[in-house]
Amino acid sequence: MQQIFVTGISTEVGKTIASAIITEALEADYWKPIQAGDLDNSDSAKVAELISNTKTTIHKSSYELQTAMSPHAAAAIDGVHIDLQQIKLPETENHLVIEGAGGILVPLNDDDTILDIIMPNYKVIVVARHYLGSINHSLLTVNWLKQKGYDVSIIFSGDAHPSTEEIILLKTGVSCLGRINEEPVFDKKVIKSYADKFRTTLKSL
């Protein structure tokens, strides 16, 4: 069974939409280890609303923090210390999609970052979106993951920017799994259509 970790080159780049598509494509389980902020409309709730299949289980986050900030800061406000030992992989016999918080070096506490919860056997999918500075963020993220030995691929999110995407793929040497376009709305129907497009590629990771 596949364990796929979805991260991004920054925040608000489309990780949750990508996670929903991957979850739907594989009829996988979904887990967001750390949710910071917007607990009434969490990423777990968004994914649950966007998928159509009946096989997926949405697993409870290990930490649910009140403030939309870096986990270490949100935890401090809540009077909580994020302990890696308390972030335990859910038990499942299904594929599992794991969505990170922000980028890979977002701090969880004084010592650990998101990178420390990405296990060596996970397949890592980086969601990249074009903005000024995104080439640098993409190269830093992907090459750091590759240097650490992870199996990495990219999904581009938003409007196409060929020169940016070509140089990112050239300088990282990783494969692009596809693109999630800027859609007027993301609902169950749209997520399912993308899931159908991505399914074969995702199964071959």
Side-chain angles (χ1 to χ4, degrees):
M1 289 295 172
Q2 294 189 74
Q3 293 172 328
I4 297 173
F5 195 97
V6 180
T7 189
I9 63 169
S10 185
T11 189
E12 302 299 325
V13 294
K15 288 192 306 297
T16 302
I17 293 296
S19 295
I21 290 167
I22 299 163
T23 298
E24 179 66 17
L26 298 175
E27 296 188 330
D29 286 8
Y30 169 89
W31 180 46
K32 174 102 174 180
I34 301 164
Q35 174 71 41
D38 202 11
L39 297 183
D40 293 332
N41 187 32
S42 68
D43 291 341
S44 297
K46 291 173 186 171
V47 170
E49 290 172 5
L50 289 170
I51 61 173
S52 307
N53 81 86
T54 56
K55 189 176 177 183
T56 295
T57 295
I58 307 289
H59 295 278
K60 182 176 173 57
S61 298
S62 299
Y63 287 93
E64 295 180 339
L65 308 169
Q66 298 290 332
T67 310
M69 295 177 68
S70 172
H72 80 291
I77 290 170
D78 286 1
V80 172
H81 174 76
I82 295 177
D83 180 356
L84 285 188
Q85 302 305 314
Q86 299 303 314
I87 302 176
K88 295 178 181 175
L89 193 71
E91 291 185 8
T92 178
E93 296 181 0
N94 194 9
H95 301 299
L96 181 64
V97 175
I98 307 156
E99 182 181 351
I104 58 170
L105 295 183
V106 166
L108 305 181
N109 51 45
D110 289 349
D111 300 309
D112 305 308
T113 68
I114 288 290
L115 189 64
D116 293 297
I117 65 173
I118 308 178
M119 295 297 104
N121 61 305
Y122 293 174
K123 307 285 186 181
V124 182
I125 296 177
V126 175
V127 181
R129 186 179 184 88
H130 173 66
Y131 54 83
L132 191 62
S134 64
I135 294 175
N136 184 51
H137 292 164
S138 298
L139 298 183
L140 285 169
T141 299
V142 173
N143 286 330
W144 187 262
L145 286 163
K146 284 180 64 184
Q147 187 179 17
K148 296 293 183 181
Y150 293 102
D151 183 331
V152 188
S153 50
I154 286 181
I155 289 176
F156 287 111
S157 167
D159 294 332
H161 202 279
S163 63
T164 294
E165 294 163 18
E166 286 166 12
I167 200 70
I168 289 169
L169 295 176
L170 176 67
K171 285 189 171 293
T172 60
V174 300
S175 62
C176 173
L177 303 181
R179 161 180 308 288
I180 302 166
N181 293 316
E182 203 73 61
E183 302 287 351
V185 65
F186 283 99
D187 56 18
K188 286 180 188 286
K189 184 177 179 181
V190 173
I191 294 297
K192 189 173 189 314
S193 70
Y194 274 103
D196 292 341
K197 292 178 188 174
F198 275 87
R199 185 170 294 111
T200 301
T201 306
L202 288 168
K203 284 185 175 180
S204 67
L205 281 179

